[in-house]
Amino acid sequence: MSFFERLVDAFYEGVATDEVLLPLYPEQPDLTGARHRLTLFLAQYWGGPTTYMDERGHPKLRMRHMPFHVGPLERDRWLVHMAAAVEQVCADDAIPDGVADELTAYFVPAAEHLRNDTGLPISSRRPT
């Protein structure tokens, strides 16, 4: 769990000063709840305890992100901060080779999947 806590802390250091992403967090500037949820989700996704599911139920990531506009700019800013966090945390010699690549292989398509600006029926916004 400590690996994911470090990863999420590094990620939210970037988000805390990001003019695009920070406004998407209803509790901002306090990101404590968001940090907690993301840490639990990532730990569970990679085989850790099911605390996320116990506390919040099924992740339903698209549904949970639907109230917030997630377009290419938001996706890209999210990936910038997550890539920096992955690089920082995986620079530790104790982290096995390949972990950064595995994380990135998950985060890139996951971030794209959460886009909801396409105007499709599952979008948060209709086309103009």
Side-chain angles (χ1 to χ4, degrees):
M1 185 72 88
S2 66
F3 172 83
F4 293 109
E5 290 169 343
R6 290 191 319 274
L7 179 68
V8 169
D9 284 346
F11 169 73
Y12 277 109
E13 285 175 18
V15 171
T17 60
D18 191 292
E19 295 176 5
V20 172
L21 293 182
L22 188 60
L24 298 178
Y25 290 85
E27 300 166 345
Q28 58 97 6
D30 181 8
L31 298 172
T32 304
R35 287 174 188 254
H36 175 73
R37 291 184 296 272
L38 183 56
T39 299
L40 293 181
F41 171 77
L42 294 175
Q44 178 175 304
Y45 181 84
W46 268 285
T50 61
T51 310
Y52 181 92
M53 186 83 89
D54 297 341
E55 288 184 8
R56 304 200 26 103
H58 190 281
K60 301 178 192 172
L61 293 180
R62 281 189 57 82
M63 181 200 76
R64 292 186 193 279
H65 289 81
M66 198 57 67
F68 314 103
H69 176 260
V70 181
L73 179 60
E74 293 79 9
R75 175 205 58 207
D76 292 350
R77 297 303 305 151
W78 192 94
L79 285 170
V80 161
H81 297 300
M82 188 53 78
V86 167
E87 182 178 339
Q88 178 182 331
V89 173
C90 290
D92 183 335
D93 289 338
I95 304 301
D97 290 341
V99 170
D101 291 339
E102 187 172 344
L103 290 168
T104 301
Y106 169 74
F107 288 134
V108 171
E112 177 63 22
H113 175 71
L114 293 179
R115 279 190 54 201
N116 57 23
D117 67 331
T118 62
L120 297 173
I122 57 171
S123 297
S124 64
R125 185 170 100 177
R126 299 285 179 221
T128 54

